Amino acid sequence: DPSDQDYNYDIEMLKPLITQILDAGNEVGLHGGHTAYKSASDFIQQLSRLKKVTELEKVGYRNHYLKFNLDSFEIMREAGISTDSTLGFADIVGFRNGMAHPFRPYNYRQNSFYDFVEIPLIMMDQTFYKYMNLSQFDIRKLSNKIIDRVSEVSGTLSLLWHNTTFQGEKVQDLDYMIERMRDDGAWFCT
């Protein structure tokens, strides 16, 4: 809603672009607002708007600023999310849950697994530039180390690169990482 923090656009305006993205075989997911991780009503309202425009039944999710608490999983379950990529660190790269594989989170309250799949976020552009304030040399050195670790366990590397960093040296860093993974025989998917 226009009253939300960081409001940028009405999703209806993006319908042609979203259709183009989906028609090309790509995924469109929900990037939840500042309160969606702790408010089922906010989450469901945002998800409903996205589903109306996309006509999708199942939608992936990642919350704004990687905000998360254990109730977030319950909210995602209630909303029927298919995948989530919120579980990651903002201030460092690496393995927040200790592994590089998608998994179904465990619901300790009900002694069962949730129906959705968590795809842990491993590296994010803002971590390199804003939180760690690394040079291009150090970004490439650290990303190589992470790529090697993920490769050693035949893992999944979820990489978040914001549209605001698709320029200059920052997009060169992304290109470097993609080429490095491609050279290692990585499989890319949505």
Side-chain angles (χ1 to χ4, degrees):
D1 289 326
S3 62
D4 290 342
Q5 185 179 352
D6 291 340
Y7 173 82
N8 292 311
Y9 55 83
D10 182 336
I11 194 165
E12 294 288 335
M13 294 170 40
L14 298 179
K15 187 167 184 163
L17 178 60
I18 290 171
T19 300
Q20 183 180 357
I21 291 168
L22 292 170
D23 287 349
N26 296 298
E27 182 180 354
V28 172
L30 178 63
H31 183 253
H34 286 275
T35 59
Y37 78 102
K38 63 181 180 179
S39 169
S41 62
D42 288 355
F43 191 106
I44 290 169
Q45 182 183 42
Q46 293 169 20
L47 182 61
S48 295
R49 277 189 245 144
L50 179 65
K51 284 184 170 184
K52 181 180 176 187
V53 170
T54 63
E55 300 177 8
L56 294 171
E57 288 297 316
K58 293 289 186 177
V59 175
Y61 180 70
R62 180 178 53 80
N63 205 67
H64 202 47
Y65 286 106
L66 306 179
K67 291 180 180 178
F68 175 84
N69 64 38
L70 286 179
D71 292 332
S72 300
F73 281 153
E74 194 58 32
I75 292 169
M76 289 180 227
R77 183 198 61 76
E78 288 176 28
I81 289 296
S82 61
T83 60
D84 173 61
S85 290
T86 302
L87 196 56
F89 293 115
D91 57 343
I92 59 170
V93 300
F95 311 95
R96 181 172 178 178
N97 67 325
M99 57 191 222
H101 293 278
F103 65 96
R104 288 179 44 217
Y106 187 73
N107 183 339
Y108 70 94
R109 292 177 181 141
Q110 297 198 4
N111 196 27
S112 62
F113 291 96
Y114 287 103
D115 292 335
F116 63 89
V117 174
E118 181 66 34
I119 304 169
L121 177 62
I122 308 298
M123 294 192 296
M124 177 175 69
D125 55 358
Q126 295 304 310
T127 306
F128 293 124
Y129 305 118
K130 179 181 175 184
Y131 296 101
M132 298 180 80
N133 195 28
L134 297 177
S135 68
Q136 187 175 57
F137 175 82
D138 288 333
I139 289 169
R140 292 180 181 195
K141 183 178 175 183
L142 181 55
S143 66
N144 281 334
K145 182 178 178 180
I146 296 293
I147 291 167
D148 287 343
R149 291 258 170 99
V150 171
S151 182
E152 288 169 10
V153 297
S154 299
T156 299
L157 195 151
S158 177
L159 175 64
L160 168 55
W161 216 262
H162 292 84
N163 59 320
T164 54
T165 53
F166 274 84
Q167 57 194 359
E169 283 188 6
K170 294 175 181 176
V171 78
Q172 291 172 7
D173 293 334
L174 174 63
D175 288 342
Y176 174 84
M177 291 176 213
I178 290 172
E179 285 304 312
R180 170 65 209 290
M181 289 183 276
R182 187 173 281 140
D183 289 346
D184 282 356
W187 175 62
F188 294 85
C189 64
T190 61

